[in-house]
Amino acid sequence: MWRLFREFLAFLREEKKWWMLPLVLMLLLLAVLVLFSSSPVLAPFMYPFM
């Protein structure tokens, strides 16, 4: 996992594609939100934000 992260950062540094970093972070945040929203235990805490 960390190897992939370091390789991605090296790619961003070499290719000067820093605009991809916010995109990837938002996609990861969305994935975490989908995973947590599928859990019925956490659902009541998410309703005020939707």
Side-chain angles (χ1 to χ4, degrees), residues 30 40 42:
L30 182 63
L42 297 174

Side-chain angles (χ1 to χ4, degrees), residues 1-14 18 21:
M1 173 79 176
W2 290 110
R3 181 177 173 217
L4 179 66
F5 180 70
R6 284 187 293 160
E7 188 174 334
F8 178 67
L9 285 178
F11 168 76
L12 291 178
R13 195 175 310 127
E14 280 183 28
W18 293 108
L21 192 59

Side-chain angles (χ1 to χ4, degrees), residues 5 8-9 12 17-27:
F5 180 70
F8 178 67
L9 285 178
L12 291 178
K17 299 207 184 264
W18 293 108
W19 57 269
M20 288 180 67
L21 192 59
L23 179 67
V24 171
L25 289 177
M26 290 304 292
L27 287 174

Side-chain angles (χ1 to χ4, degrees), residues 28-44:
L28 287 174
L29 184 64
L30 182 63
V32 168
L33 181 66
V34 167
L35 286 175
F36 281 148
S37 66
S38 64
S39 171
V41 175
L42 297 174

